Amino acid sequence: MPTLILVRHGRSTANTAGVLAGRTPGVALDERGAAQAAALPGRLAGVPLAAAVTSPLQRCRETLAPLLAARPGLPLHTDERVGEVHYGDWSGRKLAELAGEPLWEVVQRHPSAAVFPAGESLRDVQARAVAAVRDWNDRIEREHGPDARYLVCTHGDIVKSVVADALGLHLDHFQRITADPCSVTAIRYTRLRPYLLRLGDTGDLSALAPAADPGGGDAAVGGGAGAP
């Protein structure tokens, strides 16, 4: 099955301001986020991509803009299921203020029980994101073959939810995972299990290009030799 390359959007104006943006419109990349986005085509230069999928929000589209300019033939799809968490009444509020809410501790310690006021639950967030990935895996494999790579530009909690699923972790452990702005997380899916190839990578990504012998679906006994 294909390899999924998850990209969290670059740093946004809300990140800088310490605000939980959620689905608030008009949240753009800040100066550093724009620089991170500009560097993304170079980081992925050695990685063939069959398609790109994006959250509909502005900060994700801005993150992908330089990559799409560098690869004018790369198909782009928008999928609401990899969109930001609907934080409801928490959207647009300062994180420092939200940390005093009783729900904050639930989000930190027992996220599978967290339901945002007038928003959605983190259980539903993970379900929709994982369903999207599974659907795109099937489509990409059908259209481009099992060794294809495709990219999804999304948000931090979406990345963490998909990684937790790939690792077989209960959602209550997903806060142990981090995804910095414009970091890359890569998951290779096989018939038997997913493999986490990168987590929150902010450096060179050339080793994600297809190998001459991908090794099938078995784990590398002894750890494997890494990239050539």
Side-chain angles (χ1 to χ4, degrees), residues 10 15-16 31 41 62 69 71 85 89 96 103 105-106 142 156 161 169 171 179-180 188 213 218:
N15 295 145
T16 310
E31 185 176 349
E62 289 181 351
R71 303 192 191 198
V85 178
D89 294 343
L103 180 59
E105 186 174 9
V106 179
R142 187 169 62 249
S161 295
L169 294 177
L171 183 60
D180 288 338
R188 179 165 66 89
D213 178 12
D218 289 339

Side-chain angles (χ1 to χ4, degrees), residues 26-223:
V27 176
L29 299 183
D30 68 5
E31 185 176 349
R32 181 175 176 183
Q36 291 169 334
L40 190 60
R43 293 171 61 203
L44 288 166
V47 184
L49 295 173
V53 181
T54 185
S55 157
L57 292 177
Q58 177 180 340
R59 53 195 183 273
C60 288
R61 291 186 171 277
E62 289 181 351
T63 298
L64 284 187
L67 180 65
L68 295 172
R71 303 192 191 198
L74 182 64
L76 177 65
H77 309 273
T78 300
D79 194 328
E80 295 274 355
R81 294 175 298 174
V82 297
E84 180 62 288
V85 178
H86 181 19
Y87 292 110
D89 294 343
W90 277 29
S91 300
R93 294 177 61 188
K94 288 279 191 179
L95 291 168
E97 174 189 326
L98 291 171
E101 297 278 355
L103 180 59
W104 182 270
E105 186 174 9
V106 179
V107 172
Q108 295 300 314
R109 296 178 179 271
H110 190 22
S112 65
V115 182
F116 295 99
E120 64 182 331
S121 71
L122 287 173
R123 293 189 312 278
D124 289 343
V125 171
Q126 184 181 49
R128 64 171 166 83
V130 170
V133 166
R134 297 293 182 174
D135 289 348
W136 281 107
N137 283 349
D138 290 343
R139 176 173 173 176
I140 295 296
E141 181 174 19
R142 187 169 62 249
E143 296 179 359
H144 302 280
D147 293 329
R149 273 77 175 139
Y150 73 104
L151 182 149
V152 172
C153 188
T154 183
H155 307 268
D157 279 348
I158 304 300
V159 173
K160 292 160 61 176
S161 295
V162 172
V163 170
D165 172 77
L167 293 177
L169 294 177
H170 194 283
L171 183 60
D172 285 345
H173 298 311
F174 100 131
Q175 297 292 25
R176 303 181 184 193
I177 300 165
T178 62
D180 288 338
C182 222
S183 63
V184 170
T185 294
I187 303 168
R188 179 165 66 89
Y189 287 86
T190 74
R191 183 175 62 86
L192 297 179
R193 65 179 69 86
Y195 291 90
L196 183 64
L197 306 179
R198 290 288 188 280
L199 177 61
D201 196 318
T202 55
D204 179 71
L205 299 165
S206 58
L208 293 177
D213 178 12
D218 289 339
V221 178

